[in-house]
Structure formats: structure tokens, C-alpha cells
Amino acid sequence: MTGHPHHVRLLRLIRTRKDLAMYPDRLTAIASEAASRGATAATHNLGALHAAIHHADFRTAPARLPEEIWQHHLGRHRTA
């Protein structure tokens, strides 16, 4: 697996979740967008962040979600 180390860790985390396994393209899109917005395993609860974004709006691509949604969830799931 290649890519940014935090992105790789997030993908590994969410791929282990049975309830999320049916949406691989969306999982990758959320992981990529979260990493590009600075979410890391050291600073965020990545599993909770992923679930929150996944359920925020099923019809909208993660990169197209309003900035307010991302800021809310990034702040809410920050651990450090």
C-alpha cells in the first residue's frame, strides 16, 4: 500500500470495519480528504471522524461537503 503514512493508517483502520466494507471508493475518498485537511492518527480519532463524515451526507462526495461540516467534525474528533 502506498501513499501518505496517515492515509495508509486510516485506510487500514476503516477496512477492518465490517459495516463500512461495502463502500471502498467512499472510504478512500473520505480518508484522502481527511488526510488533506490535516487529520492524523496522532491528532484525531480517525474511526469516529470517518463515521461522522460518512453519515453526514451519503449523496455528496467528501471533497464537496461544505467546509462547515468538515470543520465541525475535525474539531469534534480532535484528540490532541
Side-chain angles (χ1 to χ4, degrees):
M1 192 178 288
T2 61
H4 193 276
H6 303 297
H7 184 196
V8 171
R9 279 195 291 264
L10 180 59
L11 284 174
R12 285 184 184 144
L13 170 70
I14 58 183
R15 285 183 179 156
T16 62
R17 298 263 320 262
K18 300 277 187 217
D19 57 327
L20 303 176
M22 62 193 321
Y23 303 105
D25 294 336
R26 184 158 176 85
L27 296 178
T28 301
I30 293 170
S32 178
E33 189 63 24
S36 75
R37 291 172 180 269
T40 69
T43 61
H44 290 82
N45 177 338
L46 297 178
L49 175 60
H50 173 268
I53 294 298
H54 179 68
H55 293 284
D57 185 344
F58 288 112
R59 296 173 298 248
T60 304
R64 294 179 186 248
L65 286 172
E67 183 66 23
E68 302 81 44
I69 290 176
W70 273 104
Q71 291 308 313
H72 169 77
H73 292 297
L74 284 166
R76 185 168 181 228
H77 299 293
R78 188 164 186 80
T79 59

